[in-house]
Amino acid sequence: MSEYEECTDALVDPTVLTELQAELGGDQAIISTFIRNYAELLPWRVERLHHALEKLDIEDAMDAVLSLKTSSHMVGAICMSRLATELEISIRLLPGPAHLDELRALVNEIEHFVSATIRELETPLS
């Protein structure tokens, strides 16, 4: 089983949001807004990664992946966070921006999990 297949078993860790809700005094409205904002921005964040790779812009790629990693971690999207961390490390190990295109497959893997991650995050809101 590859690490990407493992993501299908655990896209979201619900305890992260439960703990955040407890820290915020149990306010479900804040958590719902937080989830909604993440879900709305997730496709844009992944598209930003694609765009940075196309432009061979290593600084924008790093900024985009750190945004994805941090926001995913905060909302409990553990698969996204793990894949973003892997991408971050890969970017740091590149010999230069001309090699960014080598990471396209990993960004495609990240994109593969966007819809399912959003669905899983929004399920408790239904």
Side-chain angles (χ1 to χ4, degrees), residues 8-79:
T8 59
D9 295 334
L11 295 177
V12 175
D13 178 358
T15 61
V16 173
L17 291 173
T18 302
E19 290 171 3
L20 181 60
Q21 186 174 358
E23 289 175 23
L24 297 173
D27 192 338
Q28 180 60 41
I30 293 174
I31 298 302
S32 296
T33 300
F34 189 63
I35 291 169
R36 187 173 43 257
N37 289 341
Y38 175 83
E40 288 173 1
L41 289 172
L42 183 56
W44 175 81
R45 285 184 170 111
V46 176
E47 182 56 36
R48 185 174 170 210
L49 283 169
H50 281 296
H51 189 65
L53 267 57
E54 288 170 12
K55 293 185 317 180
L56 300 178
D57 186 337
I58 200 162
E59 289 179 16
D60 193 36
M62 184 58 74
D63 188 56
V65 77
L66 291 174
S67 173
L68 176 63
K69 180 179 89 168
T70 302
S71 63
S72 296
H73 177 76
M74 290 174 61
V75 80
I78 56 176
C79 177

Side-chain angles (χ1 to χ4, degrees), residues 78-90:
I78 56 176
C79 177
M80 279 292 153
S81 180
R82 181 178 38 214
L83 293 171
T85 299
E86 183 178 331
L87 181 58
E88 175 193 4
I89 292 167
S90 297

